[in-house]
Structures are given as structure tokens and as C-alpha cells.
Amino acid sequence: MRKSLVNGMLILALAIPTQSVLAKSRILATGGASPIEGGGGGGISPWAVIAGYASTSEWGSSVFATKVATDDLQLDVAGVALGFNNRFELSYAEQSLDVDPLGLTLRQKVYGAKVKLFGELLYTKMPQFSLGLAYKKHRDPAVPELLGATDDSGTDVYLSASKLFFAAVADRNLFLNATIRSTAANETGLLGFGGPEDSRSIVFEGSVVGFLNDQWVVGYEYRQKPEHLSAVAENAWQDVFVGYFHNKHLAVVAAYADLDEVAGLPDQTGSYLSLQITF
Amino acid sequence: MSSPGFPLQKVSLVMLLVIAAGCASLPAEKPTLYQQFGGAAGVNDLANAFIMRLAEDPLVVDSFADTDMDQFHGHISDQFCNLMGGGCEYTGRDMVEAHQGMNIDPRQFNALVEDLMQAMDDVDIPQGAQNRLLQMLAPMYGDMVQ
């Protein structure tokens, strides 16, 4: 059942360009990169932007692959997103986290949906606001449950506001996003959902991106995290990144990520690399 | 281990950046935007390049079917010059009136912006000057898209 949904989305994503060759009317980079939970956003946080470059009456899509490697952890993510009318977004991502010292692999699936509520990223004073959902389902729940997680699935609800300010700093364009999220997830869900300390939290995420030109960006992201488990600590995530939007089909993001302590393993810092194909 | 404290410092930093970006004023010493675009000759070249881009763009070319392109060239040059502080007077209709009934949608507006960005690249306008012109033109979205 799930397999057929994934295949269906992939087929849709691949079929769309042949149906609507003009499905790329938005300005370069306005679809954002591909965050680890799928959809359109930064590297670790979703934004109010709709994935891909579809504008009015158009379909757009993106596929991505991301690898995060720290001292003891390797996170591999792959996913696909569909955008319609610059208003609706559906996404799917698979995450696999290797915890090297413990010889563990933790996997989850993330199904996302997002709708633009009001505002406009580029042209109006009102920032673009979007409401998103992410349903996450763990595939290896034994270890999360051992650590005290109460559920093997959970749904995040988030509200994001995005705005691009033209010529804001030294005549360069500046992009800001703020996201507020209600989540039951521990370590984004990779350590399950809920726990003895709490079942759900409200967390804040922020992104600041400077455009060096139309193609090159540099930025910083911060993601607050909950602490539902008592067995292991959970900390905020941060990263600094460089992004290159070659054209409306190819983008690459490289980052230095600080995940702090994850699954009892302290000081997890390392590299983040993401490749995004849009059409 | 209770629920995490709200990162007030970081939230304030982001909010401060939003406010600073919104209020950012332009330093006085540097060349005027009009000078950065190459004065009258530069604006004339940009208008030519823009019209070439529009003519090749299937999303917008039909909207210019009944347009007197010489007059359009004059209006767009005057308007750019006026916005850039070049002292020209724009004598065309206002943006709302000029685009009424054309049913310009966000897709076409994006196409216009992209055509202008490409035209500015065509005539080698520096990135910062490009951004400043786009900053001034962005509010026209509300006038042109119905």
C-alpha cells in the first residue's frame, strides 16, 4: 500500500514535465532547498515556500538526496515533493540513521502536506505564511521504545513565515524564515515519539539566508528540539551552509552541522551535503 | 529535564534582523542608482534588452500584441529613470490603469521579473544595483496582478 503511494508520487513527479513544460515560472531559488523531512525549506527546517517552481496553474516537483555525517552518526535521506499553483505541496521522505558505536540503524518515513495561507515571498510587505503537517512513522521502534518513547508514529504541525527582502544588507537580498512547530517527535522522530517527560512540545526554528547573487547563498539555521525522553538528552540543532542554485533543475547545499548530543553521543558535529533536482 | 526554555535571545536576533531589514536605508555617499545603471544611455540599453526578452517570452508576448512598442520603450525608460532618481518625468498611465483588464496572473508577473533580471544581466548591471531596482519595482505586484 505504502510502496504504491511512493511509486505513484514518483511516477507523477516524472510525468509532470511532459504535461506542462512551462511548470517553472517562479524565480530561481524561491522553491528553497530540501530539508531532511522533505518539502521546501532549508536543511533542517521547513519554510513557507512551496517546493519546486510552479506558479499559477502549474505543477512542479523536486527529488533530493541528503547525507549528514558526524563523528558517530550517518543520516541518509531521500525524498520527493510535488507543488501545485504555488499553493499546495505534498512530500515524502525516507530517513535512515546509522548510529555507528551501537551498530544500530533507525529508519522512518515522513509524509508531508503544506498549504500557503496568505502573503507573498517576494512582492508584498506581508510575509508568506504556510501551514504544514508531517506524519512520521518509525520503522524500527524497538530501540526508541527501550529509551522510553511512547509511540512509533507522530504528526508535526507547523506554521512558517518566509520573506525575501530585496537589497537589504549591502544591497544584497536577505531571506528570513521563522517556523513554530508542535511535535511529539524525539530527534525528529528517529528516537520515536513522546516519552516520560512530556508527550508534545512547541519548538521554534529560524533561518537566515543571504544571497551573494542570484545563484549563491550563505545561511544559518537553528532548530529548537524538545526533551521528552529521560534516558537520553536532546539538544537544539544548528548549521551554517552554502547553497548553489545552478538553474531551476539543479541545486546543491553543503553545510557544517552541529547536532550536539544525540542518542547519548555527545558533540555530534559534521558535514551536511544535499543534492536537489527540480522540474 | 523539563521542557526546553524558549530561545529568547535567538528569537530576538531574528526579529531584530527582520526589523533592520525592513528599515534599512541606503548610504548616501555611493553613486546614485541612475549612475550605476549608466545614466540615460544605460537605461535606454536596459529598456531595449528588456523588450527583447519580453518578445521572446511566450508567457507575456501576447499581452503586448496591441502595444505601441516605441511608446512602451519611452514609458519604461522614463519610469526606470524616475524611480532611479534620474530626474525624468513619467507621463504614462498609472500602473493600475495601464494593466486593468489584462488579467495578469502571478505566473506572468514572475515571467516579467525574470525577463527584467535577465535583461539586467544582458547589459551587465551590477548585482547590488539590480537588487535595488527590483526592491522598487516589487510593490507593483499589487497594482498589476488582479
Side-chain angles (χ1 to χ4, degrees):
Chain A
M1 188 69 184
R2 258 184 230 130
K3 201 84 181 167
S4 63
L5 176 66
V6 176
N7 290 341
M9 279 188 76
L10 270 170
I11 288 162
L12 253 177
L14 295 170
I16 278 160
T18 59
Q19 290 175 4
S20 171
V21 288
L22 296 174
K24 48 182 172 57
S25 303
R26 272 159 52 210
I27 307 298
L28 186 65
T30 58
S34 295
I36 52 169
E37 286 150 313
I44 57 173
S45 182
W47 294 344
V49 303
I50 301 297
Y53 291 105
S55 183
T56 314
S57 305
E58 294 176 336
W59 285 88
S61 56
S62 64
V63 295
F64 76 97
T66 297
K67 187 168 192 74
V68 187
T70 67
D71 300 342
D72 302 315
L73 304 170
Q74 304 224 36
L75 176 65
D76 289 284
V77 192
V80 56
L82 291 176
F84 175 67
N85 206 27
N86 194 22
R87 180 156 302 270
F88 302 103
E89 177 190 285
L90 286 175
S91 61
Y92 173 75
E94 293 193 354
Q95 301 177 342
S96 175
L97 176 72
D98 289 332
V99 186
D100 294 335
L102 307 175
L104 269 178
T105 298
L106 301 167
R107 297 167 302 164
Q108 72 167 345
K109 300 177 169 198
V110 185
Y111 301 82
K114 190 196 289 175
V115 59
K116 181 169 106 177
L117 300 176
F118 54 85
E120 217 292 325
L121 173 68
L122 300 179
Y123 307 126
T124 63
K125 281 194 175 134
M126 176 64 74
Q128 178 164 325
F129 280 81
S130 292
L131 185 68
L133 292 174
Y135 171 76
K136 302 168 177 183
K137 174 79 174 160
H138 210 289
R139 299 175 67 187
D140 310 289
V143 172
E145 279 163 15
L146 217 63
L147 293 172
T150 52
D151 291 297
D152 68 351
S153 68
T155 303
D156 288 2
V157 184
Y158 61 88
L159 180 70
S160 295
S162 293
K163 184 79 198 126
L164 184 113
F165 299 89
F166 287 108
V169 178
D171 285 348
R172 289 302 184 271
N173 300 339
L174 177 72
F175 169 93
L176 299 178
N177 182 83
T179 292
I180 191 156
R181 182 197 301 255
S182 166
T183 182
N186 311 318
E187 301 293 3
T188 81
L190 287 161
L191 292 186
F193 303 84
E197 299 295 328
D198 223 336
S199 57
R200 212 169 174 86
S201 303
I202 304 274
V203 287
F204 169 82
E205 298 161 28
S207 307
V208 180
V209 186
F211 279 74
L212 303 177
N213 57 31
D214 295 334
Q215 291 183 301
W216 286 92
V217 299
V218 292
Y220 165 77
E221 288 182 288
Y222 171 85
R223 176 169 176 168
Q224 191 188 25
K225 311 264 292 313
E227 284 204 82
H228 301 150
L229 300 175
S230 43
V232 287
E234 178 165 355
N235 302 117
W237 285 358
Q238 305 178 74
D239 68 80
V240 288
F241 64 88
V242 178
Y244 173 66
F245 292 84
H246 179 67
N247 55 28
K248 289 187 192 174
H249 299 296
L250 176 67
V252 183
V253 179
Y256 173 76
D258 178 0
L259 311 185
D260 212 333
E261 181 171 335
V262 177
L265 302 163
D267 304 326
Q268 295 303 311
T269 57
S271 64
Y272 165 109
L273 188 65
S274 183
L275 176 73
Q276 175 184 254
I277 311 272
T278 39
F279 39 80
Chain B
M1 299 217 177
S2 58
S3 67
F6 210 66
L8 264 180
Q9 278 178 314
K10 278 175 177 122
V11 176
S12 321
L13 176 69
V14 171
M15 287 175 77
L16 204 68
L17 277 165
V18 174
I19 292 162
C23 301
S25 57
L26 304 162
E29 297 87 358
K30 54 180 169 183
T32 67
L33 191 55
Y34 190 59
Q35 287 167 335
Q36 285 186 27
F37 272 81
V43 168
N44 184 63
D45 289 347
L46 175 60
N48 283 335
F50 187 33
I51 287 170
M52 292 290 281
R53 288 287 180 177
L54 295 174
E56 290 166 5
D57 188 337
L59 279 178
V60 298
V61 68
D62 291 346
S63 303
F64 292 92
D66 301 324
T67 304
D68 176 338
M69 290 317 278
D70 284 340
Q71 193 185 46
F72 178 75
H73 182 283
H75 281 161
I76 212 112
S77 303
D78 287 348
Q79 196 170 39
F80 285 167
C81 163
N82 180 276
L83 283 169
M84 293 171 191
C88 306
E89 195 184 343
Y90 172 63
T91 55
R93 294 175 294 169
D94 72 52
M95 295 309 279
V96 177
E97 196 190 332
H99 298 92
Q100 226 153 33
M102 292 180 74
N103 296 318
I104 296 173
D105 62 23
R107 181 175 66 149
Q108 290 170 310
F109 190 85
N110 278 323
L112 282 174
V113 172
E114 197 166 76
D115 290 335
L116 178 61
M117 290 167 72
Q118 286 168 341
M120 289 191 289
D121 283 342
D122 291 343
V123 294
D124 299 320
I125 304 297
Q127 187 72 48
Q130 290 195 22
N131 295 343
R132 285 174 65 191
L133 182 61
L134 291 173
Q135 179 188 31
M136 288 187 277
L137 294 173
M140 287 184 183
Y141 178 82
D143 297 335
M144 291 172 63
V145 176
Q146 275 111 34

